[in-house]
C-alpha cells in the first residue's frame, strides 16, 4: 500500500506542480471524495446499521491517516485513547484535564517543529491533531454539561450537551472520521451522531397552487459541486498567483527603505489576501468530501431552500467585502471560532476575549508572530466594537453617506487585518519589527490613541 500511495503522490505532484507534502494532502482528499460517494450510496442509513456506518467512517479515516503519515498516526491514537479513558473514569473536572492534556500534546509537537524545523510549512500529523484536539474537548465539555440541568446551561451548551458517555466506536469514529480528518473543519459530536443515525436529513413540506402538499428532501449534489468547483478555482489562484506575491518581499531592504507607505500597505493587503487562498482550498475540500457523503445539511430557509453550512469554515464573500473587523474575524475559520466560543468564550468569566485569543494562539503554535496577531487582534476588536457602537448610527443616512462610511470602514478593517496577518506570516519578531517600523507602527499607534480618547459609550450616550 505505501508504494501505491507513493505512486499516487508522484502523479499528483507532477500533475499540479506541488511539493510532496501538499501533493500528499491533495491525493488523500481526492480519494476521500471517492470513499464519500461509496459511503453515501453503499452505506446509507437505509441500507446498513449505525455500527456499520461508524466502522466505515473510522476505517477509511485511519487508512488515509496511515497512508499520509505512516506511524505518526500513533500520535492521534494516543490522544484519543487517553482522553477516552479520562471520560470513562470521570475524574474531577475531567473536561478541563482533557483539554489541558490534549493541548499539552499538541503544544509539544508545535515546539518540536519550531525547534528542529523553524518556519517550516511542511504538512504533517500536527494538522489532524489540531482538529482532534477540538473534537476531543468538545466531547469532554459536552459530556460534562450532560450532568447539569437544562436551566443551568446556556442555550449553546444545552444544544450540544451529551447525555451518557459515548461508546468507544462512536467516539473513535467521530475523531477519525475521514470526512474532515485531513483538512478540517471541526464539527460538533451531536451533529455527527445525527448524521450517522440518519436523522440529519429533515424533510420540507411544500404546497403547490392547488393546495396539494408534497415532501422534498435536501440534495447534496449542488453543495458538493459548488464546493469542488471552489477547490479548483482557489487551487488555481494558489498555484499560479499566490506565489507571485511572497510576504518576504515586504522586508527586502529596497522595499523597507525606498517604497512608499501606501505601496507597502497595498502589497501587504494583496499578499495576505492571496495567502488565504490555500486555506480556502483545504477547507472547501473538507466541505466537498462531507457533502459527497451527505454530511453538512443544516436546515431549510423560509423559501424552502436547503442550506449546507454545517461544515463551512469560511465565508469568502463576507470576509473579502466585510466592513468591520468583527465580520472579518467571524467569517474566517468559522468552526474554530465556534469551538473557541463553546469551550472558552462562553465559560470564561474574566475578559473572555483575551482568553479566547490566547488559547487560539497556543492552538496554532508558539511562533512570536502568532501572538502578535492574536493578542493584537483581540485588542483591535475590542476598540473597533467600541468605535462602531459610538459612531456608526451617525452615518446610516442618507445613502451616499452610508456608502462613504462603508468604504472608509472597509479600508480600515482590511488595513488592520493585513497589518496583523503579516506578523502571522513573518513569524520572527525581528522581521515583524522591521516591517512595522517601515509603516510607522500605524495600527498600534492608532489603537492606543483610540483607547486613550474614545469616550465610554454610556457616558457618551448621556
Amino acid at each position: 500500500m505505501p508504494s501505491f500511495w507513493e505512486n499516487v503522490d508522484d502523479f499528483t505532484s507532477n500533475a499540479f506542480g506541488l511539493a510532496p507534502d501538499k501533493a500528499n494532502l491533495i491525493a488523500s482528499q481526492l480519494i476521500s471524495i471517492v470513499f464519500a460517494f461509496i459511503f453515501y450510496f453503499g452505506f446509507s442509513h437505509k441500507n446498513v446499521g449505525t455500527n456499520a456506518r461508524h466502522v466505515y467512517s473510522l476505517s477509511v479515516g485511519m487508512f488515509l491517516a496511515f497512508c499520509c503519515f505512516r506511524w505518526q498516526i500513533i500520535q492521534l491514537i494516543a490522544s484519543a485513547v487517553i482522553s477516552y479513558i479520562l471520560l470513562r473514569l470521570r475524574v474531577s473536572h475531567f473536561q478541563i484535564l482533557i483539554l489541558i492534556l490534549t493541548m499539552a500534546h499538541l503544544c509539544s509537537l508545535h515546539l518540536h517543529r519550531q525547534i528542529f524545523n523553524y518556519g517550516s510549512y511542511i504538512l504533517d500529523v500536527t494538522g489532524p491533531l489540531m482538529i482532534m484536539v477540538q473534537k476531543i474537548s468538545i466531547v469532554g465539555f459536552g459530556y460534562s454539561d450532560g450532568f447539569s440541568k437544562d436551566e443551568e446551561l446556556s442555550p449553546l451548551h444545552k444544544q450540544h450537551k451529551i447525555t451518557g458517555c459515548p461508546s468507544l466506536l462512536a467516539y473513535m469514529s467521530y475523531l477519525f472520521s475521514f470526512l474532515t480528518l485531513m483538512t478540517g473543519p471541526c464539527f460538533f459530536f451531536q451533529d455527527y451522531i445525527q448524521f450517522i443515525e440518519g436523522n440529519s436529513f429533515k424533510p420540507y413540506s411544500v404546497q403547490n397552487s392547488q393546495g396539494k402538499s408534497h415532501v422534498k428532501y435536501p440534495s447534496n449534489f449542488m453543495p458538493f459541486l459548488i464546493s469542488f468547483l471552489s477547490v479548483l478555482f482557489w487551487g488555481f489562484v494558489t498555484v499560479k498567483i499566490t506565489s507571485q506575491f511572497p510576504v518576504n518581499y515586504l522586508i527586502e531592504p529596497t522595499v523597507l527603505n525606498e517604497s512608499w507607505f501606501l505601496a507597502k500597505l497595498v502589497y501587504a493587503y494583496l499578499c495576505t489576501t492571496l495567502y488565504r487562498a490555500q486555506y480556502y482550498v483545504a477547507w472547501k475540500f473538507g466541505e466537498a468530501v462531507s457533502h459527497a457523503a451527505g454530511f453538512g445539511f443544516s436546515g431549510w430557509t423560509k423559501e424552502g431552500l436547503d442550506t449546507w453550512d454545517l461544515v463551512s469554515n469560511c465565508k469568502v464573500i463576507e470576509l473579502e467585502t466585510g466592513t468591520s473587523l468583527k465580520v472579518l474575524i467571524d467569517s474566517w475559520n468559522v468552526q474554530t471560532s465556534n469551538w473557541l466560543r463553546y469551550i472558552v468564550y462562553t465559560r470564561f468569566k474574566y475578559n473572555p476575549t483575551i482568553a479566547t485569543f490566547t488559547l487560539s494562539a497556543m492552538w496554532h503554535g508558539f511562533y512570536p508572530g502568532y501572538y502578535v496577531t492574536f493578542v493584537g487582534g483581540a485588542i483591535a476588536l475590542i476598540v473597533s466594537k467600541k468605535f462602531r457602537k459610538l459612531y456608526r448610527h451617525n452615518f446610516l443616512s442618507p445613502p451616499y453617506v452610508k456608502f462613504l462610511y462603508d468604504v472608509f470602514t472597509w479600508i480600515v478593517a482590511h488595513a488592520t487585518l493585513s497589518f496583523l496577518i503579516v506578523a502571522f506570516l513573518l513569524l520572527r519578531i525581528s522581521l515583524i519589527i522591521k516591517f512595522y517600523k517601515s509603516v510607522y507602527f500605524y495600527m498600534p499607534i492608532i489603537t492606543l490613541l483610540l483607547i486613550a480618547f474614545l469616550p465610554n459609550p454610556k457616558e457618551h450616550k448621556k
Side-chain angles (χ1 to χ4, degrees):
M1 184 55 65
S3 59
F4 163 77
W5 195 263
E6 288 170 2
N7 292 333
V8 173
D9 279 354
D10 290 341
F11 172 79
T12 309
S13 180
N14 294 330
F16 299 102
L18 298 173
D21 59 319
K22 293 179 175 61
N24 196 17
L25 178 66
I26 296 299
S28 72
Q29 291 303 90
L30 291 173
I31 292 176
S32 291
I33 290 176
V34 176
F35 279 119
F37 278 116
I38 293 173
F39 184 68
Y40 181 75
F41 291 106
F43 286 80
S44 165
H45 68 277
K46 298 177 182 178
N47 302 328
V48 300
T50 298
N51 286 345
R53 284 166 65 82
H54 275 310
V55 169
Y56 182 93
S57 183
L58 168 62
S59 301
V60 172
M62 296 194 77
F63 163 74
L64 291 173
F66 179 76
C67 287
C68 288
F69 307 117
R70 303 298 188 265
W71 294 109
Q72 289 185 51
I73 192 177
I74 293 174
Q75 301 274 6
L76 304 177
I77 296 173
S79 263
V81 171
I82 293 172
S83 300
Y84 189 73
I85 291 172
L86 292 174
L87 277 181
R88 299 295 298 185
L89 293 176
R90 278 176 52 191
V91 297
S92 179
H93 302 294
F94 64 87
Q95 74 278 18
I96 297 174
L97 181 59
I98 286 172
L99 177 62
I100 292 172
L101 288 178
T102 52
M103 279 297 298
H105 182 196
L106 176 61
C107 289
S108 69
L109 294 190
H110 281 319
L111 287 170
H112 183 272
R113 288 183 63 176
Q114 191 166 335
I115 293 171
F116 295 101
N117 205 0
Y118 196 95
S120 167
Y121 284 103
I122 295 175
L123 300 173
D124 61 11
V125 77
T126 309
L129 184 60
M130 291 172 73
I131 304 301
M132 191 165 287
V133 166
Q134 294 180 333
K135 289 183 174 181
I136 289 172
S137 57
I138 282 174
V139 175
F141 280 90
Y143 184 40
S144 174
D145 289 337
F147 294 101
S148 301
K149 297 179 180 179
D150 284 351
E151 53 268 24
E152 298 173 348
L153 300 172
S154 69
L156 177 64
H157 300 160
K158 183 168 64 175
Q159 178 185 356
H160 298 293
K161 77 173 186 177
I162 301 170
T163 55
C165 187
S167 69
L168 180 60
L169 176 59
Y171 181 75
M172 296 296 283
S173 171
Y174 170 63
L175 297 185
F176 283 92
S177 173
F178 72 98
L179 301 177
T180 62
L181 176 66
M182 306 304 295
T183 61
C186 171
F187 44 81
F188 284 96
F189 179 76
Q190 295 289 45
D191 294 331
Y192 179 72
I193 294 302
Q194 285 186 357
F195 162 69
I196 291 293
E197 293 177 350
N199 298 323
S200 59
F201 273 21
K202 297 177 182 178
Y204 185 83
S205 180
V206 181
Q207 285 190 342
N208 58 25
S209 56
Q210 286 77 34
K212 295 182 179 180
S213 62
H214 68 276
V215 175
K216 69 175 184 177
Y217 290 86
S219 170
N220 65 333
F221 175 72
M222 283 306 297
F224 162 74
L225 184 61
I226 293 170
S227 297
F228 189 70
L229 290 177
S230 297
V231 169
L232 298 180
F233 173 77
W234 291 113
F236 174 82
V237 171
T238 299
V239 173
K240 298 297 184 180
I241 303 177
T242 302
S243 59
Q244 305 301 316
F245 292 86
V247 69
N248 286 337
Y249 179 75
L250 287 169
I251 55 173
E252 290 188 3
T254 53
V255 176
L256 290 173
N257 301 322
E258 298 176 16
S259 295
W260 292 355
F261 172 77
L262 287 178
K264 295 174 190 175
L265 297 193
V266 171
Y267 187 89
Y269 167 74
L270 288 173
C271 73
T272 55
T273 299
L274 290 169
Y275 177 79
R276 291 195 283 272
Q278 61 187 299
Y279 287 94
Y280 293 155
V281 172
W283 293 335
K284 290 299 179 181
F285 243 137
E287 283 184 32
V289 175
S290 298
H291 293 160
F295 182 56
F297 172 69
S298 54
W300 299 92
T301 66
K302 293 180 180 179
E303 295 76 22
L305 301 176
D306 48 333
T307 56
W308 290 75
D309 57 6
L310 197 64
V311 289
S312 176
N313 208 31
C314 55
K315 302 174 183 177
V316 179
I317 295 176
E318 289 87 340
L319 174 59
E320 303 304 342
T321 62
T323 59
S324 75
L325 190 59
K326 184 180 186 304
V327 170
L328 304 190
I329 292 172
D330 288 346
S331 302
W332 174 257
N333 210 346
V334 175
Q335 303 305 328
T336 293
S337 297
N338 291 340
W339 168 66
L340 291 166
R341 186 179 299 111
Y342 178 66
I343 68 165
V344 182
Y345 189 84
T346 54
R347 301 176 192 269
F348 207 85
K349 295 181 179 179
Y350 179 74
N351 210 332
T353 300
I354 297 296
T356 300
F357 275 81
T358 302
L359 178 62
S360 180
M362 292 179 64
W363 180 76
H364 282 87
F366 293 96
Y367 287 109
Y370 294 170
Y371 292 84
V372 173
T373 298
F374 289 109
V375 175
I379 297 170
L381 181 61
I382 293 170
V383 174
S384 67
K385 283 182 178 179
K386 187 177 179 181
F387 183 91
R388 194 175 180 86
K389 188 174 182 179
L390 284 168
Y391 300 114
R392 184 174 184 271
H393 63 277
N394 296 320
F395 300 95
L396 297 180
S397 62
Y400 77 90
V401 172
K402 183 179 183 302
F403 173 76
L404 292 175
Y405 175 79
D406 287 342
V407 171
F408 170 75
T409 52
W410 182 90
I411 292 172
V412 171
H414 284 271
T416 302
L417 185 65
S418 300
F419 186 93
L420 294 168
I421 298 301
V422 165
F424 190 93
L425 300 180
L426 291 177
L427 300 177
R428 298 174 184 269
I429 283 291
S430 58
L431 301 181
I432 295 167
I433 292 176
K434 277 185 180 180
F435 172 69
Y436 282 4
K437 184 179 178 181
S438 76
V439 292
Y440 312 111
F441 293 93
Y442 70 87
M443 199 208 86
I445 290 175
I446 293 173
T447 301
L448 290 173
L449 289 173
L450 290 174
I451 291 172
F453 294 107
L454 277 180
N456 184 288
K458 293 181 180 179
E459 294 178 358
H460 182 76
K461 190 173 182 180
K462 290 179 181 179

